[in-house]
Amino acid sequence: MTTSHDPTDPMPLIYVPVQGAPKQLFVLLHDDAASPAQLAQLAQSIKHAFPQSMVVLPYAPLHTRDDIRHWFNQSDLNEENYVERVKAALPALVSLIQRIQRQYRFEGEHTALVGFGQGATIALEAVHTQFDLAGRVLAFSGSYAKLPDM
């Protein structure tokens, strides 16, 4: 499988409240071989349940086709290179979240990361490397790349 990273990749899908400033931030991270469209219905449900929230759906940086995206390289993936590849995917995502937090004046306690599959692994690892990034993580069908020491 060949993957590529293109600086012209799509910007994240971002939903803001119809009125007023957002009070909460939800970042939804799709699974491997998917795209933010996978989470469109969940984004709508969150907007309905939390009308003052901002919902962000970033695209994973690597892709094999426009609609097939990956958080980290899948070629020859094994136990020896798994943790390293997951960690390599974190800086860009953490930077994106921090930029949004600064722009909209969110603290980590107002931020939730929601991930599915590979997105769940990325979410767990992101908050483990940057403890104040989010106040909560909802991780479905994913796990830490490496169990934390504490």
Side-chain angles (χ1 to χ4, degrees):
M1 166 175 62
T2 303
T3 57
S4 63
H5 176 70
D6 184 345
T8 63
D9 280 343
M11 294 298 294
L13 303 176
I14 299 176
Y15 301 96
V16 294
V18 175
Q19 295 180 353
K23 299 193 183 315
Q24 296 172 297
L25 172 62
F26 289 87
V27 180
L28 310 184
L29 305 172
H30 62 79
D31 198 358
D32 180 42
S35 74
Q38 176 192 45
L39 304 175
Q41 189 168 356
L42 177 60
Q44 294 302 322
S45 296
I46 290 171
K47 287 175 14 184
H48 180 72
F50 301 94
Q52 289 307 116
S53 68
M54 171 184 246
V55 181
V56 176
L57 294 92
Y59 286 82
L62 304 173
H63 59 89
T64 50
R65 294 192 322 243
D66 287 341
D67 57 343
I68 303 296
R69 307 201 63 94
H70 313 276
W71 291 102
F72 48 88
N73 190 334
Q74 304 296 293
S75 298
D76 302 317
L77 190 63
N78 58 47
E79 284 186 37
E80 287 77 39
N81 61 25
Y82 178 65
V83 172
E84 177 183 310
R85 289 187 185 183
V86 169
K87 288 187 185 279
L90 299 177
L93 177 65
V94 169
S95 177
L96 170 70
I97 294 168
Q98 289 173 329
R99 279 194 314 269
I100 292 169
Q101 288 172 325
R102 279 191 305 274
Q103 182 176 353
Y104 290 91
R105 296 186 176 109
F106 289 119
E107 298 291 329
E109 65 190 41
H110 301 117
T111 303
L113 303 184
V114 182
F116 294 84
Q118 208 178 73
T121 298
I122 294 296
L124 289 166
E125 291 294 335
V127 296
H128 184 67
T129 60
Q130 184 71 40
F131 291 115
D132 62 347
L133 186 66
R136 59 208 151 282
V137 173
L138 289 81
F140 300 93
S141 299
S143 64
Y144 283 101
K146 180 181 179 226
L147 287 176
D149 295 332
M150 57 178 198

